[in-house]
Amino acid sequence: MGAMSDRSPSPQAAPDGAPHRAGFACFVGRPNAGKSTLTNALVGTKVAITSTRPQTTRHTVRGIVHRPDAQLVLVDTPGLHKPRTLLGERLNDVVRTTWAEVDVIGFCLPADQRLGPGDRYIATELAGIKRTPKVAVVTKTDLVDSQRLAEQLIAVDRLGKELGLEWAEIVPVSAVAAEQEARRHPPADGSGRNGAGQVGLLADLLVPLLPEGPALYPEGDLTDEPEQVMVAELIREAALEGVRDELPHSIAVVVEEMLPREGRPADRPLLDVHANIYIERPSQKGIVIGPKGARLKQVGSTSRTHIEALLGTPVFLDLHVKVAKDWQRDPKQLRRLGF
């Protein structure tokens, strides 16, 4: 099949004469099931925040896969979970709204964890959505042996039968293996896609489930997230690395402004990015800033590297840590922080 190149044309018919397809797919699954990593592997560039901590995707991040025969727009949702706060309830509403609007749903189930109540909770919700085709994606296959993988595939099949949930496909994938293979042997077409880890196969299986139609986005686009939101996510991802377990939910990032520095020569532009990292309690400030500011400095240099790669321009990053008391439970603060 065609490659995921962002340079490929978006014709109204595929090269082999088949009609061009375009539509939306979303990956669902309990927190930390590998949804964001899979989105990144399919698109071939970093568009969704990935973290080892569950529950880090706050925005519906779209990655766009361009192929000669199709355009697949990936909508990444937060993990569905039993809500404990107002933020949790809003995140669950976002998930259900997304499910109702896409053309195909990929349900991510990690190969290295037995199916649990969380998976059954999501599968039961999915069974209620009748018209949308559903693909079971068994992720993280690089972490298990072939016997454990076979057991998981059988368990997923059985779960569908029990709940009257018909899988269009059941596909094992490893986004990590695909990424490593792509680094070692980049495809000659520059597409970022190859056969390792079954990620290419997953795209091949999702495409026929999309409706026929022209491309929905210009061919150079990889995501339609506003740049400021993506920059905020990259800073938040860097701030989450290596901090204590109680902190992930307490961090929000708002980019206050992004402005080209005035008076710079055209061949040496500089973008000034001013952002605030919000936490819930004064006691958390020291954790984010670190001894003598070392932690915050690390957050700045890590996120700046990613931001420069994303925007293709040198960046001056100005970060401040602020307290927004108990923002997860306060509707006014949630609105101000973009939720």
Side-chain angles (χ1 to χ4, degrees), residues 31-37 40 46 48-57 140 233 236-243 248:
N32 217 8
K35 302 179 293 292
S36 295
T37 310
N40 293 341
K46 187 168 184 141
I49 179 176
T50 53
S51 164
T52 50
R53 311 207 172 282
Q55 208 44 48
T56 51
T57 307
K140 308 189 185 185
E233 286 287 77
R236 191 162 171 272
E237 178 178 15
L240 285 176
E241 282 312 311
V243 296

Side-chain angles (χ1 to χ4, degrees), residues 48-277:
I49 179 176
T50 53
S51 164
T52 50
R53 311 207 172 282
Q55 208 44 48
T56 51
T57 307
R58 294 263 172 84
H59 297 277
T60 303
V61 179
R62 294 171 176 81
I64 302 165
V65 181
H66 301 268
R67 300 164 43 126
D69 59 333
Q71 189 179 73
L72 175 65
V73 183
L74 300 167
V75 185
D76 190 31
T77 58
L80 190 77
H81 60 301
K82 292 214 163 67
R84 288 188 297 275
T85 62
L86 179 62
L87 174 64
E89 283 171 32
R90 288 201 182 168
L91 291 173
N92 278 0
D93 289 344
V94 168
V95 178
R96 292 195 188 91
T97 306
T98 304
W99 293 3
E101 291 169 353
V102 296
D103 301 298
V104 57
I105 297 170
F107 182 18
C108 295
L109 302 127
D112 64 330
Q113 296 166 36
R114 304 215 173 265
L115 300 187
D119 298 311
R120 184 171 284 276
Y121 173 66
I122 294 169
T124 306
E125 294 259 339
L126 285 177
I129 300 171
K130 297 297 181 198
R131 287 199 305 271
T132 315
K134 289 159 281 281
V135 173
V137 186
V138 177
T139 60
K140 308 189 185 185
T141 57
D142 52 298
L143 301 179
V144 297
D145 60 22
S146 54
Q147 186 187 340
R148 175 75 195 100
L149 177 58
E151 287 167 9
Q152 189 74 331
L153 294 171
I154 291 165
V156 170
D157 184 50
R158 196 177 294 137
L159 178 69
K161 289 192 169 78
E162 271 176 43
L163 298 173
L165 176 59
E166 198 178 318
W167 303 120
E169 306 276 355
I170 300 177
V171 197
V173 299
S174 166
V176 173
E179 197 180 312
Q180 288 167 348
E181 182 64 18
R183 268 199 221 113
R184 281 199 299 271
H185 307 291
D189 60 12
S191 65
R193 171 180 165 220
N194 62 41
Q198 299 279 83
V199 170
L201 170 66
L202 175 61
D204 293 345
L205 294 173
L206 292 174
V207 163
L209 301 171
L210 302 177
E212 293 178 15
L216 302 163
Y217 290 87
E219 60 189 59
D221 288 6
L222 291 171
T223 172
D224 77 345
E225 274 287 336
E227 283 179 346
Q228 252 167 265
V229 173
M230 291 185 73
V231 166
E233 286 287 77
L234 290 171
I235 295 167
R236 191 162 171 272
E237 178 178 15
L240 285 176
E241 282 312 311
V243 296
R244 273 188 238 157
D245 289 346
E246 72 268 20
L247 223 52
H249 298 262
S250 306
I251 294 180
V253 176
V254 176
V255 174
E256 299 297 339
E257 59 177 15
M258 283 170 41
L259 294 168
R261 177 82 58 93
E262 285 181 19
R264 297 282 293 193
D267 58 341
R268 286 184 41 240
L270 183 66
L271 187 69
D272 286 320
V273 176
H274 301 278
N276 291 327
I277 298 174

